[in-house]
């Protein structure tokens, strides 16, 4: 493995990077940083979770001249959340040099952004629509930019931002360095690279490094009506420290988070229809551990870099294998192990083969747990806590009461009472979830329309960032995908 000390970066930046807890460079960082420092254009093909933010952030910070009060670098990201997270990481990387970083995104007061732009940030991290808005308003000039970075370019293509990106690139000097990062390289991205980049170097993360080997992957074959009870039993048995549950639609996320709360779990949901303030509030609670379960749609969770996620539950199987890789990449980070479980209905079983081909890993079948197993899981968790308390040996003030109990009762009865009192018995409170149609069988499925898939979540969240006149689009999150009767709420009593 390559050490950051060997990559030729300054002491100020190295100190900041080591302070962030980084020691060894990931493969994408080890290849990208030296090339970027040589001012070469670069295409990095890598999935989320490979450390690409630091791969482009470290050389970008290195090249900033802090004596020059002008924008020197700009990063374009597909979503507000990703723009915020990239700016936070760049702020940490640039702390030693006192580099000024400013996130620019839709949904935030534009006059506040204009005031911040007047303070001459060195680096801008923004979403395409809002960056283009500032360019058109002449509140942001990019003629001093020497580095442009496009992060998750394939996702920006899916969300319809390619024209905006080309307009932004046309507003920057021809003599610049351009870095493009993308998990996949569809035709439009390749054509854009040919048009705006000069002899780009290609850096690819090997397939074996993209399959997140530290994540144990399982699937459970479950009828739609039984999914929720199976999920809560898994939560009881596995007792995850931090867990993310993925739902296919915004409605599903809302109903799942409400149902989990009703059953006694600390859960909140995140999707495109939430206000920016609400999304940030939920993410902060999750990072701080105030909530244990985050329920999310694919687009809302894309780019989230939250350490400590131990379990990912795919309540609904994703509609394409790339989304699966992004989902499970939320766990198993920083060298830690993770667990990913995917619920499939019998009709969706053909999708497993597609996902397994992409990850080059066979998913192991897991048997759906019973109510008794869930209770045993909760009891084991309580026993572990009791053992930890015993080992801490801070029991002096409780021994007199313990002796008194043991004089009147036998030890087994006392311990059993403590276990009963502390064990969270599985809750069977009835909840209502609207039944979602399974994905269409592979042989009946029409060619996949990415723009239509993203419309459900991305336009609700990020369409306002575009400032374009378009015909109104009704949210499709509640629509059935295969025809038939309309969806209706189903009561989830304990099965």
């Amino acid at each position: 493995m390559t050490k950051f000390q060997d990559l030729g970066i300054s002491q100020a930046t190295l100190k900041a990077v080591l302070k962030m807890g980084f020691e060894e460079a990931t493969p994408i960082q080890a290849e990208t940083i030296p090339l970027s420092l040589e001012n070469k254009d670069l295409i990095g093909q890598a999935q989320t979770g490979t450390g690409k933010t630091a791969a482009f952030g470290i050389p970008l910070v290195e090249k900033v001249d802090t004596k020059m009060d002008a924008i020197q670098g700009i990063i374009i990201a597909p979503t507000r959340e990703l723009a915020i997270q990239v700016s936070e990481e760049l702020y940490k990387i640039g702390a030693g040099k006192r580099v000024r970083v400013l996130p620019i995104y839709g949904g935030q007061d534009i006059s506040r952004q204009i005031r911040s732009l007047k303070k001459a940030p060195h680096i801008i991290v923004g979403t395409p629509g809002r960056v283009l808005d500032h360019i058109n308003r002449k509140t942001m000039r990019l003629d001093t930019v020497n580095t442009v970075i496009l992060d998750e370019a394939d996702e920006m293509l899916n969300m319809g931002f390619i024209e905006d990106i080309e307009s932004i690139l046309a507003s920057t000097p021809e003599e610049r360095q351009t870095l493009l990062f993308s998990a996949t390289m569809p035709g439009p991205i390749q054509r854009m690279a040919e048009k705006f980049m000069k002899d780009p170097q290609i850096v690819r993360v090997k397939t074996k490094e993209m399959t997140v080997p530290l994540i144990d992957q399982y699937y459970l074959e479950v009828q739609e009506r039984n999914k929720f009870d199976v999920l809560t039993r898994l939560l009881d048995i596995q007792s995850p420290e931090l867990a993310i549950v993925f739902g296919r639609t915004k409605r599903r996320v809302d109903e799942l988070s409400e149902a989990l709360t009703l059953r006694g779990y600390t859960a909140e949901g995140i999707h495109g229809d939430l206000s920016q303030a609400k999304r940030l509030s939920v993410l902060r609670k999750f990072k701080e551990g105030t909530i244990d379960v985050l329920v999310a749609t694919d687009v809302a969770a894309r780019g989230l870099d939250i350490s400590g996620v131990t379990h990912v539950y795919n309540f609904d199987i994703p509609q394409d294998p790339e989304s699966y890789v992004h989902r499970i990449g939320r766990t198993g980070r920083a060298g830690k192990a993770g667990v990913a479980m995917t619920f499939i209905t019998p009709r969706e079983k053909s999708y497993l083969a597609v996902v397994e081909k992409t990850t080059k890993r066979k998913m192991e079948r897991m048997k759906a747990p019973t109510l008794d197993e869930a209770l045993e899981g909760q009891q084991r968790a309580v026993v572990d806590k009791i053992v930890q308390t015993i080992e801490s040996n801070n029991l002096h003030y409780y021994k007199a009461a313990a002796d008194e109990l043991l004089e009147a009762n036998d030890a087994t009865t006392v311990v059993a009472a403590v276990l009963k009192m502390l064990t969270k018995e599985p809750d069977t409170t009835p909840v209502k979830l609207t039944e979602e149609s399974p994905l269409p069988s592979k042989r009946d499925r029409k060619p996949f329309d990415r723009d239509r898939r993203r419309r459900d979540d991305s336009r609700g969240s990020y369409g306002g960032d575009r400032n374009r006149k378009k015909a109104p689009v009704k949210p499709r999150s509640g629509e059935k995908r295969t025809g038939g009767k309309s969806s209706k709420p189903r009561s989830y009593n304990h099965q």
Side-chain angles (χ1 to χ4, degrees):
M1 292 291 284
T2 305
K3 298 274 189 182
F4 282 103
Q5 291 92 320
D6 304 328
L7 293 176
I9 60 179
S10 67
Q11 279 300 311
T13 304
L14 178 62
K15 185 177 178 181
V17 168
L18 296 177
K19 188 177 179 181
M20 292 169 70
F22 297 147
E23 293 180 3
E24 296 177 335
T26 65
I28 188 100
Q29 292 164 356
E31 292 190 56
T32 299
I33 292 172
L35 290 170
S36 184
L37 288 173
E38 292 173 12
N39 272 329
K40 294 183 187 251
D41 282 7
L42 184 144
I43 294 173
Q45 194 167 347
Q47 298 283 1
T48 186
T50 53
K52 57 184 169 60
T53 304
F56 62 69
I58 290 172
L60 176 59
V61 163
E62 282 289 87
K63 287 182 283 185
V64 166
D65 180 359
T66 53
K67 295 176 183 175
M68 180 179 170
D69 291 334
I71 300 169
Q72 297 167 52
I74 183 165
I75 300 165
I76 308 298
T79 67
R80 306 171 192 180
E81 284 78 14
L82 185 56
I84 291 167
Q85 296 220 343
V86 169
S87 66
E88 287 175 350
E89 188 151 350
L90 283 177
Y91 176 80
K92 293 174 187 173
I93 294 169
K97 289 183 66 175
R98 298 184 179 277
V99 172
R100 295 190 294 273
V101 182
L102 178 65
I104 295 285
Y105 50 87
Q108 188 184 48
D109 180 18
I110 196 162
S111 59
R112 178 180 166 190
Q113 290 178 355
I114 292 169
R115 288 195 299 272
S116 298
L117 283 165
K118 289 178 179 177
K119 296 176 182 175
H122 299 121
I123 298 171
I124 298 291
V125 187
T127 50
R130 183 51 65 94
V131 168
L132 193 57
D133 190 7
H134 280 289
I135 292 171
N136 293 334
R137 288 169 180 255
K138 301 192 183 328
T139 50
M140 180 168 64
R141 296 178 61 87
L142 301 181
D143 50 357
T144 54
V145 165
N146 53 47
T147 306
V148 176
I149 296 163
L150 306 178
D151 194 12
E152 297 203 2
D154 53 348
E155 195 61 23
M156 290 194 277
L157 169 67
N158 291 337
M159 297 169 73
F161 285 138
I162 286 299
E163 289 180 9
D164 289 357
I165 292 167
E166 292 188 348
S167 298
I168 294 166
L169 288 170
S171 301
T172 61
E174 284 191 23
E175 292 302 315
R176 64 167 191 273
Q177 180 187 27
T178 307
L179 288 78
L180 183 151
F181 290 84
S182 186
T184 58
M185 290 299 296
I189 299 293
Q190 293 178 22
R191 288 191 289 275
M192 186 173 67
E194 290 167 6
K195 182 177 178 182
F196 290 100
M197 301 178 79
K198 298 173 184 175
D199 302 319
Q201 304 289 307
I202 310 293
V203 174
R204 288 190 179 92
V205 174
K206 294 177 183 177
T207 305
K208 66 179 182 181
E209 293 159 351
M210 291 168 60
T211 57
V212 278
L214 292 173
I215 300 175
D216 293 328
Q217 301 172 50
Y218 301 92
Y219 76 92
L220 296 91
E221 194 170 333
V222 188
Q223 293 289 347
E224 173 73 20
R225 65 179 178 274
N226 297 333
K227 276 185 178 182
F228 187 73
D229 282 325
V230 171
L231 173 64
T232 56
R233 290 171 194 170
L234 286 171
L235 290 172
D236 288 342
I237 291 169
Q238 296 169 343
S239 299
E241 292 177 29
L242 286 177
I244 300 180
V245 178
F246 283 100
R248 194 178 300 145
T249 64
K250 292 177 281 192
R251 178 183 61 191
R252 177 73 106 184
V253 166
D254 285 337
E255 292 181 353
L256 268 176
S257 55
E258 288 173 15
L260 285 166
T261 301
L262 192 64
R263 288 271 180 101
Y265 304 91
T266 51
E268 287 202 45
I270 179 172
H271 57 65
D273 277 355
L274 296 181
S275 69
Q276 178 68 5
K278 177 63 175 173
R279 278 198 297 273
L280 293 176
S281 171
V282 171
L283 290 175
R284 185 174 61 253
K285 289 181 189 175
F286 189 61
K287 286 181 178 180
E288 292 170 352
T290 309
I291 56 176
D292 302 325
V293 183
L294 179 69
V295 190
T297 54
D298 286 317
V299 173
R302 185 175 283 269
L304 297 185
D305 187 10
I306 302 169
S307 60
V309 175
T310 55
H311 293 67
V312 167
Y313 300 91
N314 293 312
F315 194 83
D316 299 311
I317 191 168
Q319 298 186 71
D320 61 278
E322 289 85 2
S323 291
Y324 175 82
V325 174
H326 276 280
R327 284 183 180 190
I328 69 170
R330 303 304 100 206
T331 185
R333 293 190 160 206
K336 294 180 180 178
V339 183
M341 280 138 292
T342 300
F343 294 2
I344 61 164
T345 63
R347 284 180 58 187
E348 294 171 329
K349 203 166 182 181
S350 59
Y351 282 78
L352 277 183
V354 180
V355 170
E356 289 173 341
K357 184 178 178 182
T358 301
T359 61
K360 294 180 169 49
R361 286 271 302 274
K362 291 287 286 183
M363 272 193 258
E364 189 177 335
R365 178 165 185 161
M366 179 183 285
K367 184 174 171 288
T370 64
L371 185 66
D372 287 343
E373 287 170 337
L375 181 59
E376 288 173 16
Q378 283 294 297
Q379 288 177 353
R380 279 198 302 274
V382 170
V383 168
D384 289 342
K385 286 180 183 177
I386 291 173
V387 171
Q388 289 172 12
T389 305
I390 291 170
E391 289 173 350
S392 70
N393 203 26
N394 188 22
L395 304 171
H396 175 71
Y397 293 106
Y398 303 93
K399 287 190 174 179
D403 290 338
E404 192 175 318
L405 276 171
L406 290 172
E407 283 178 11
N409 306 276
D410 67 274
T412 303
T413 303
V414 171
V415 173
V418 171
L419 286 171
K420 179 177 174 59
M421 185 174 64
L422 296 178
T423 299
K424 176 187 175 291
E425 295 187 2
D427 192 332
T428 58
T429 304
V431 299
K432 286 187 178 181
L433 294 182
T434 304
E435 187 169 338
E436 295 282 349
S437 297
L439 291 180
S441 61
K442 298 297 283 184
R443 62 176 177 273
D444 298 331
R445 198 180 184 206
K446 295 179 182 178
F448 188 67
D449 181 349
R450 285 182 175 273
D451 286 337
R452 187 176 65 184
R453 171 173 67 85
R454 294 296 178 195
R455 183 168 60 201
D456 171 56
D457 201 66
S458 67
R459 285 191 180 173
S461 175
Y462 311 111
D465 187 45
R466 304 284 309 278
N467 292 313
R468 290 186 171 185
K469 299 288 185 181
K470 287 193 176 182
V473 179
K474 293 181 180 178
R476 303 186 69 240
S477 60
E479 289 182 12
K480 298 271 284 187
R481 298 185 183 272
T482 55
K485 297 177 183 178
S486 60
S487 299
K488 58 185 179 182
R490 176 181 292 275
S491 178
Y492 277 63
N493 297 303
H494 168 62
Q495 302 292 324

